[in-house]
Amino acid sequence: MRRYVIKRLAQAVGVLWAAYTVSFLVLDYLPGDPVSAMAGAGSDSAEIDPAQLAALRHQYGFDKPVLVQYADYLGRAVRGDFGDAISTGRPVTSTLADALPQTLQLTGAALLLAVVLGGGLALLATYTTQRSLRQLLLSLPPLGVSVPTFWVGLLLVEAFSFRLRWFPAFGNDGARGLILPAVTLAIPTGAQVAQVLAKSLLTALDQAYVETARAKGAGRWRIHLRHALRNASLPALTVVGLLVGQLIAGSVVVETVFARDGLGRVTAAAVTAQDIPLVQGVVVFGALIFVLTNLIVDLVYPLLDPRIVVAPGRKAGLA
């Protein structure tokens, strides 16, 4: 188990390093100059002193070679220091800390809804004996995956905010203001959970151990929940871990549609302003949540299926 955990931690560090490096290279090759934008070089009403621009570039280290910049930023990032945001002058960690609670609230609620709704749909679709109902239920997840998130959000705002006036359309207005954004973000995620879990359940229900349980007199719900679901949950659990990154990315769109404060709006503003330190902080933080979630998923695997072992000199797998 120790070897298993060490291997997963090493992979997590590799993912964080790759995310930081890719974001640095992409931002470095983008056209434009974030320092000039911050100083107001694009404004017709202001003339920027070249000496002022040079001082700002020196302050943020943009006058150094790219490799030197990368080494400096990476060294500080390892210590948890991402510097100051170019667009606001505030420390990146403080900016992220202010925006984090709202985004975690949104993604947590969306993930809970996705698991409950997606899992419930998969269980119902595989439990029913009516073929037409099963086909109808199994056709819903592909539809949920294919529908654009922003379009779903706009429809929900139109129906439940402007027409029925049940929920606020915009802002961070407590629990009522969280419902529509969470549902919008949960629909594609829950659809993917339902797809994977339904397929795994149908496969599990055809296994010999299910026939043995039926022969021993076990009821349908007992077979579904105790026998089939436990074995079918591993692929769905893997998908849930991967979808955490998708939820964080989707929050950019959802928070923009619903005008919510959070990491999504911070990210959109930082990319627009080419705020390199702030974008890198967001990327690394998103990658950190992703790798921690998947690390937890990897550690839960052996609890769900004791056959998953790690032998010296072998990869993790089914023994």
Side-chain angles (χ1 to χ4, degrees):
M1 191 54 151
R2 183 190 307 172
R3 183 185 181 91
Y4 183 76
V5 173
I6 292 175
K7 182 179 179 180
R8 292 298 181 268
L9 288 174
Q11 291 175 347
V13 172
V15 170
L16 291 175
W17 171 79
Y20 185 90
T21 302
V22 170
S23 66
F24 179 87
L25 294 176
V26 169
L27 291 169
D28 182 70
Y29 282 100
L30 284 177
D33 184 358
V35 172
S36 297
M38 178 186 69
S43 175
D44 295 334
S45 60
E47 294 183 0
I48 304 304
D49 185 2
Q52 181 185 2
L53 289 178
L56 287 173
R57 290 191 180 96
H58 179 73
Q59 176 183 345
Y60 288 98
F62 293 137
D63 58 340
K64 300 177 182 178
V66 174
L67 291 180
V68 176
Q69 292 182 43
Y70 173 76
D72 289 344
Y73 284 136
L74 182 60
R76 288 189 296 175
V78 170
R79 301 191 298 270
D81 179 14
F82 291 92
D84 296 333
I86 297 175
S87 55
T88 63
R90 296 185 59 206
V92 171
T93 52
S94 299
T95 303
L96 297 181
D98 292 342
L100 177 60
Q102 296 296 335
T103 298
L104 287 183
Q105 188 181 52
L106 173 60
T107 54
L111 182 61
L112 178 61
L113 283 174
V115 172
V116 171
L117 297 179
L121 179 61
L123 285 172
L124 183 59
T126 54
Y127 181 79
T128 182
T129 57
Q130 299 182 21
R131 185 173 181 179
S132 58
L133 178 59
R134 171 176 291 186
Q135 293 300 324
L136 174 62
L137 294 176
L138 291 179
S139 67
L140 294 179
L143 179 62
V145 172
S146 61
V147 174
T149 303
F150 74 90
W151 185 73
V152 174
L154 293 176
L155 285 181
L156 292 178
V157 168
E158 174 67 23
F160 295 100
S161 296
F162 296 154
R163 294 184 181 273
L164 298 177
R165 301 184 182 278
W166 289 355
F167 306 105
F170 308 110
N172 301 62
D173 187 15
R176 293 179 67 250
L178 181 65
I179 293 176
L180 293 185
V183 171
T184 302
L185 198 55
I187 287 177
T189 306
Q192 294 181 61
V193 172
Q195 278 185 311
V196 174
L197 184 57
K199 184 177 181 179
S200 299
L201 279 170
L202 291 174
T203 302
L205 290 170
D206 288 335
Q207 300 301 313
Y209 65 83
V210 172
E211 295 298 329
T212 303
R214 289 196 184 102
K216 292 181 178 180
R220 292 186 63 210
W221 269 118
R222 179 182 176 87
I223 292 174
H224 235 74
L225 297 179
R226 182 168 181 177
H227 298 281
L229 181 60
R230 180 173 181 178
N231 290 279
S233 61
L234 287 177
L237 184 62
T238 302
V239 169
V240 169
L242 295 175
L243 290 178
V244 170
Q246 179 177 308
L247 286 172
I248 296 174
S251 68
V252 177
V253 176
V254 173
E255 289 178 355
T256 301
V257 170
F258 290 93
R260 290 180 57 87
D261 295 327
L263 287 179
R265 298 190 72 185
V266 168
T267 303
V271 171
T272 301
Q274 291 185 303
D275 194 330
I276 294 177
L278 186 53
V279 173
Q280 287 181 324
V282 172
V283 169
V284 172
F285 177 77
L288 179 62
I289 294 180
F290 177 79
V291 297
L292 287 178
T293 303
N294 282 274
L295 179 61
I296 294 173
V297 169
D298 288 338
L299 296 179
V300 171
Y301 278 164
L303 302 179
L304 294 176
D305 191 346
R307 296 174 298 171
I308 296 179
V309 297
V310 179
R314 296 175 56 188
K315 293 183 179 180
L318 296 179

